[in-house]
Amino acid sequence: MEAQEEKEAQVAAWLKKIFGDHPIPQYEVNARTTEILHHLSERNRVRDRDVYLVIEDLKQKASEYESEAKHLQSLLMESVNFSPANLSSTGSRYLNALVDSAMALETKDTSLASFIPAVNDLTSDLFRTKSKNEEIKLELAKLEKNLTSTLVLEKCLRE
């Protein structure tokens, strides 16, 4: 019975945490509802932990990308005394277009080695779509022919 009371206490604490300042809705406290709510609270706790880990991972990746960007920018400044701020408006537009293209193609960077496979994947998708489109057109033409035959046959039968 002590385990049941412990679960009821855990459920009450979980509901208080979930609802915060809002009142907790009335529910029948019995073994079944307590078990269901306890199961939900455990699943919620696991999901919250997983989400927290994903968030922390994304924060870490963002900081790594930021430090890598700073490193590459300083390397660029040292090697050719170049800064994106020194670009002309046309150069800045080209750089933004390059970045936007890399984002749209979901490449890991803006190197040619990343762009070529991404463009090849898009080309393959395009050909698959065109092929499927042709199949659908042939099926449609076949159905139109059958419909025409059926309508002619129907007309002949009526006459």
Short mmCIF file of all heavy atoms in Angstrom, two decimals, residues 123-137:
data_model
loop_
_atom_site.label_atom_id
_atom_site.label_comp_id
_atom_site.label_asym_id
_atom_site.label_seq_id
_atom_site.Cartn_x
_atom_site.Cartn_y
_atom_site.Cartn_z
N THR A 123 18.65 16.64 -59.22
CA THR A 123 18.46 16.22 -60.60
C THR A 123 17.81 14.84 -60.66
O THR A 123 16.90 14.60 -61.46
CB THR A 123 19.82 16.20 -61.34
OG1 THR A 123 20.42 17.49 -61.23
CG2 THR A 123 19.65 15.85 -62.81
N SER A 124 18.25 13.94 -59.80
CA SER A 124 17.64 12.60 -59.74
C SER A 124 16.17 12.71 -59.35
O SER A 124 15.31 12.02 -59.94
CB SER A 124 18.37 11.72 -58.72
OG SER A 124 19.69 11.51 -59.11
N ASP A 125 15.88 13.55 -58.38
CA ASP A 125 14.48 13.76 -57.98
C ASP A 125 13.66 14.30 -59.14
O ASP A 125 12.52 13.89 -59.35
CB ASP A 125 14.40 14.73 -56.79
CG ASP A 125 14.91 14.12 -55.50
OD1 ASP A 125 15.11 12.90 -55.45
OD2 ASP A 125 15.11 14.90 -54.54
N LEU A 126 14.24 15.23 -59.89
CA LEU A 126 13.55 15.81 -61.03
C LEU A 126 13.23 14.74 -62.08
O LEU A 126 12.11 14.67 -62.57
CB LEU A 126 14.40 16.93 -61.66
CG LEU A 126 13.84 17.56 -62.93
CD1 LEU A 126 12.54 18.30 -62.63
CD2 LEU A 126 14.87 18.50 -63.54
N PHE A 127 14.21 13.89 -62.40
CA PHE A 127 13.98 12.85 -63.40
C PHE A 127 12.96 11.83 -62.91
O PHE A 127 12.13 11.35 -63.69
CB PHE A 127 15.29 12.17 -63.80
CG PHE A 127 16.14 13.01 -64.71
CD1 PHE A 127 17.46 13.29 -64.39
CD2 PHE A 127 15.63 13.55 -65.89
CE1 PHE A 127 18.24 14.07 -65.22
CE2 PHE A 127 16.40 14.33 -66.73
CZ PHE A 127 17.71 14.59 -66.39
N ARG A 128 13.00 11.48 -61.62
CA ARG A 128 11.99 10.56 -61.08
C ARG A 128 10.60 11.17 -61.19
O ARG A 128 9.64 10.49 -61.56
CB ARG A 128 12.30 10.23 -59.61
CG ARG A 128 13.24 9.07 -59.42
CD ARG A 128 13.24 8.58 -57.99
NE ARG A 128 13.65 9.58 -57.01
CZ ARG A 128 14.91 9.87 -56.72
NH1 ARG A 128 15.89 9.21 -57.31
NH2 ARG A 128 15.20 10.78 -55.82
N THR A 129 10.50 12.45 -60.89
CA THR A 129 9.21 13.13 -60.97
C THR A 129 8.72 13.21 -62.41
O THR A 129 7.54 12.98 -62.67
CB THR A 129 9.32 14.54 -60.36
OG1 THR A 129 9.80 14.44 -59.02
CG2 THR A 129 7.99 15.26 -60.36
N LYS A 130 9.62 13.53 -63.33
CA LYS A 130 9.24 13.58 -64.75
C LYS A 130 8.79 12.20 -65.23
O LYS A 130 7.80 12.09 -65.97
CB LYS A 130 10.40 14.07 -65.61
CG LYS A 130 10.60 15.57 -65.57
CD LYS A 130 11.70 15.99 -66.52
CE LYS A 130 11.83 17.51 -66.56
NZ LYS A 130 12.89 17.92 -67.50
N SER A 131 9.49 11.16 -64.83
CA SER A 131 9.12 9.80 -65.23
C SER A 131 7.74 9.43 -64.68
O SER A 131 6.91 8.89 -65.41
CB SER A 131 10.17 8.82 -64.71
OG SER A 131 9.80 7.50 -64.96
N LYS A 132 7.51 9.75 -63.43
CA LYS A 132 6.20 9.48 -62.83
C LYS A 132 5.11 10.27 -63.54
O LYS A 132 4.01 9.76 -63.78
CB LYS A 132 6.25 9.85 -61.33
CG LYS A 132 5.02 9.50 -60.57
CD LYS A 132 4.88 8.01 -60.41
CE LYS A 132 3.71 7.71 -59.50
NZ LYS A 132 3.40 6.30 -59.48
N ASN A 133 5.42 11.52 -63.89
CA ASN A 133 4.48 12.37 -64.61
C ASN A 133 4.12 11.75 -65.96
O ASN A 133 2.96 11.75 -66.37
CB ASN A 133 5.07 13.77 -64.79
CG ASN A 133 4.04 14.80 -65.15
OD1 ASN A 133 2.85 14.57 -65.02
ND2 ASN A 133 4.51 15.95 -65.60
N GLU A 134 5.12 11.22 -66.67
CA GLU A 134 4.87 10.57 -67.96
C GLU A 134 3.99 9.34 -67.78
O GLU A 134 3.10 9.09 -68.58
CB GLU A 134 6.19 10.19 -68.64
CG GLU A 134 6.95 11.36 -69.20
CD GLU A 134 6.18 12.12 -70.27
OE1 GLU A 134 5.54 11.48 -71.12
OE2 GLU A 134 6.21 13.36 -70.23
N GLU A 135 4.26 8.56 -66.75
CA GLU A 135 3.43 7.38 -66.47
C GLU A 135 1.98 7.80 -66.24
O GLU A 135 1.05 7.15 -66.75
CB GLU A 135 3.95 6.63 -65.24
CG GLU A 135 5.25 5.90 -65.45
CD GLU A 135 5.77 5.29 -64.16
OE1 GLU A 135 4.99 5.12 -63.20
OE2 GLU A 135 6.96 4.96 -64.12
N ILE A 136 1.79 8.84 -65.48
CA ILE A 136 0.43 9.32 -65.19
C ILE A 136 -0.23 9.82 -66.46
O ILE A 136 -1.42 9.57 -66.69
CB ILE A 136 0.48 10.42 -64.10
CG1 ILE A 136 0.88 9.80 -62.76
CG2 ILE A 136 -0.85 11.13 -63.98
CD1 ILE A 136 1.16 10.80 -61.66
N LYS A 137 0.52 10.52 -67.34
CA LYS A 137 -0.04 10.99 -68.60
C LYS A 137 -0.47 9.82 -69.47
O LYS A 137 -1.53 9.87 -70.11
CB LYS A 137 0.99 11.85 -69.35
CG LYS A 137 1.11 13.26 -68.83
CD LYS A 137 2.12 14.04 -69.66
CE LYS A 137 2.25 15.46 -69.15
NZ LYS A 137 3.26 16.21 -69.92
#
